[in-house]
Amino acid sequence: MQSNLVIFPNAEAAKNSTQTEERTITKYERAEEQFLELLAIEDLDNKLDANPVRGSEFEQTLSMAIGAAYGNDRSDEQAHRFLQRILYRINRLKLFWYDDLQNYTNERSLYLYSCRDQIETAWQQWELAQIDVAALQQLDVKHALIERASADLNPPLSESSRYIREEMTEAGYRHLLAIGSFDGLVEGSRLCYVLGGAANEVQCTLVRVLIEEYGNGRLSRKHSTFFAQMLAEFGMNTEPEGYFDLVPWQVLAAANHNFLTTDRKRYFLRYSGALTYFEVAGPAAYKNYLAAAQRLELSEAAMGYWELHIREDERHGRWMLDDVVLSLAERYPNDAWELLLGYDQEKLMGDRAADAVVRSIREAE
C-alpha cells in the first residue's frame, strides 16, 4: 500500500545550504575587494615579492572559483561572475578612461598577467569544449560563412525576442539600457587593437568600420553619444561602467573574449569572424529593441541609438562579409576555419548573453 505520509524538507539542512551559498558569495565579494586593493598598490609586483602573504587569500579564492566554474559538470554561477569581473578589471587597463593616471600604475604588472592567464586558460578550454572544432575544419569556409550570414541577417523571432517586442515594460526597457550601457558607452574601442600593420583592403575596411563607430571623428555623431542620449532621456547615469554591478557574467564574458581576440594577433581570424557575426546579426536585435520602444511610445531620443545601428550595421555586415572574411579565407586557406570558429563562438556567447539579459529584465520587472 502506498504511504500517504508527506515528507517535508529538512529545515536545518536547507538553512545550512543557504548559509553555505551566502558564505561563498561573501567570500567572492571579499576577494574582489582585496583585488581592487592590490590594483591600487604602487609597484605591486615588488611589494608582493617582498610580502607574498598579502595576496594569498585572494589567490586561494581565485583558484577555488576556477575549479567551481570550469572544473565541475555543474558550473557555479557566482564563480563565473567573480572570475569574469576580475578578468574584466584587468582587461580594462588596456583602454584609457580619462580618469586618474594613478589607476594605470600596474597596467603592465606580471602579477596581473598571471591572474589573467590563470582565468583565461581554464575559461578558454571550457568555451572551446562547447564547439565542434573538428567539424568546422572540414567545411567549405567561404560557403559556410555566406550561409551563416544569410541565416543570421533575419532570424526567426525567439521567445526572448518576442518578450522584448511584446511584453517588456518601460521599467524593463530602462534595465535593458542600464546593462547595454556597459558596451554602448565605449563601443568599438577594442577594434583599434587590430588596425595596425601592413596596408591592404582588409585593414582599410576595418578602419572604415571604426571611423563610422566614432562618428567620423565628431563626438555628436559617435554611436556612444546616441546611447548616452537614451540614458539621459530617463535621467539615468551616463558615465561608462555606471551600471557595472548589473551586468550578467555572460555579458562580461563576451567583452573579455573580445579583449582576448583583439589583443592576440594569432587570433586575428577568430576576431574577424566574430566581428562579422556581430555586425550581421546586430540589426535583428536592435529591431527588437526599437519595436519595444515604439510600442511603449517613447521619445525619439529614447530610441535613436537603435535606429542608427540598424542602418549602419546592415552596411557594416556586408563590408565584413564581402571585404574582410571572404578575402581572409582566400589569403589563409589552411587556417580559414578559424573564421568560422570566431563567428560561431560570437554567436554562442551572444545568445547566452542575450538570454541572461532577458532573465535579468524579468527579475527587475
Side-chain angles (χ1 to χ4, degrees):
M1 179 178 177
Q2 183 176 354
S3 171
N4 291 321
L5 180 65
V6 178
I7 306 297
F8 288 96
N10 185 315
E12 189 61 31
K15 179 182 177 182
N16 289 340
S17 175
T18 301
Q19 288 176 340
T20 299
E21 182 179 355
E22 288 175 352
R23 280 198 300 272
T24 302
I25 294 171
T26 303
K27 190 176 185 68
Y28 288 143
E29 290 172 345
R30 185 169 66 250
E32 186 171 347
E33 290 174 359
Q34 292 169 342
F35 183 73
L36 290 175
E37 291 171 3
L38 292 174
L39 272 179
I41 294 175
E42 186 79 30
D43 196 19
L44 174 64
D45 290 353
N46 287 329
K47 295 285 178 58
L48 288 178
D49 283 345
N51 183 17
V53 177
R54 199 165 188 174
S56 60
E57 186 177 347
F58 164 74
E59 292 159 18
Q60 290 170 8
T61 305
L62 181 68
S63 179
M64 179 189 75
I66 289 173
Y70 311 124
N72 303 321
D73 293 334
R74 185 174 180 273
S75 57
D76 184 321
E77 292 288 304
Q78 291 299 327
H80 276 289
R81 183 175 185 272
F82 168 73
L83 292 170
Q84 294 300 331
R85 284 169 68 92
I86 294 298
L87 187 54
Y88 175 76
R89 291 190 185 281
I90 299 172
N91 283 331
R92 71 183 296 281
L93 292 175
K94 298 172 185 176
L95 303 179
F96 188 61
W97 297 86
Y98 292 89
D99 53 354
D100 189 339
L101 297 178
Q102 270 314 107
N103 292 338
Y104 305 92
T105 187
N106 291 306
E107 64 181 310
R108 303 194 75 179
S109 163
L110 295 179
Y111 179 78
L112 296 186
Y113 279 18
S114 173
C115 294
R116 181 200 64 189
D117 290 346
Q118 285 183 63
I119 299 171
E120 278 185 350
T121 298
W123 169 47
Q124 285 297 303
Q125 290 175 352
W126 182 80
E127 292 285 6
L128 279 172
Q130 300 174 59
I131 300 283
D132 189 345
V133 173
L136 294 181
Q137 293 172 329
Q138 303 304 314
L139 295 177
D140 180 324
V141 172
K142 295 178 71 173
H143 179 69
L145 285 167
I146 292 169
E147 277 195 334
R148 281 163 165 73
S150 177
D152 293 325
L153 186 60
N154 290 297
L157 290 179
S158 65
E159 181 181 344
S160 294
S161 296
R162 290 190 185 280
Y163 166 75
I164 289 171
R165 281 175 169 263
E166 301 169 7
E167 300 179 45
M168 183 173 66
T169 65
E170 185 175 315
Y173 186 80
R174 290 197 299 270
H175 194 78
L176 171 69
L177 294 186
I179 295 175
S181 69
F182 169 69
D183 181 69
L185 294 179
V186 293
E187 187 187 10
S189 296
R190 293 179 292 273
L191 177 56
C192 65
Y193 276 89
V194 302
L195 295 181
N200 53 61
E201 289 298 327
V202 168
Q203 184 203 40
C204 289
T205 300
L206 292 173
V207 169
R208 287 164 65 196
V209 172
L210 179 68
I211 288 174
E212 289 208 350
E213 296 284 355
Y214 273 74
N216 291 300
R218 291 175 295 169
L219 181 60
S220 63
R221 301 300 301 170
K222 189 177 184 297
H223 289 187
S224 60
T225 299
F226 287 86
F227 204 105
Q229 288 172 351
M230 292 197 298
L231 294 168
E233 193 71 3
F234 293 103
M236 297 172 66
N237 188 351
T238 60
E239 290 298 315
E241 301 178 333
Y243 296 99
F244 181 63
D245 287 340
L246 292 181
V247 180
W249 71 262
Q250 295 89 341
V251 176
L252 288 170
N256 284 324
H257 189 77
N258 200 251
F259 272 116
L260 171 65
T261 54
T262 54
D263 196 40
R264 296 195 59 183
K265 301 304 177 285
R266 179 60 186 85
Y267 294 158
F268 181 74
L269 298 187
R270 287 173 63 182
Y271 173 74
S272 298
L275 183 58
T276 300
Y277 171 77
F278 184 83
E279 299 291 353
V280 165
Y286 302 140
K287 287 174 183 176
N288 293 333
Y289 307 150
L290 179 61
Q294 291 170 337
R295 171 176 55 80
L296 293 168
E297 299 182 347
L298 302 178
S299 68
E300 287 297 318
M303 64 180 84
Y305 179 89
W306 315 128
E307 294 178 309
L308 173 68
H309 261 58
I310 291 167
R311 293 194 307 270
E312 292 202 353
D313 282 6
E314 286 175 347
R315 182 167 64 252
H316 293 174
R318 291 194 300 271
W319 292 353
M320 289 300 302
L321 180 65
D322 296 339
D323 301 332
V324 176
V325 290
L326 294 182
S327 295
L328 289 171
E330 292 182 357
R331 183 183 290 263
Y332 298 98
N334 295 331
D335 301 305
W337 64 270
E338 294 181 21
L339 294 162
L340 293 175
L341 174 60
Y343 189 103
D344 288 359
Q345 279 196 305
E346 183 72 13
K347 181 173 182 176
L348 177 65
M349 291 185 179
D351 288 346
R352 188 173 66 196
D355 289 343
V357 170
V358 168
R359 286 196 300 272
S360 182
I361 292 171
R362 287 182 181 272
E363 291 170 4
E365 289 183 318

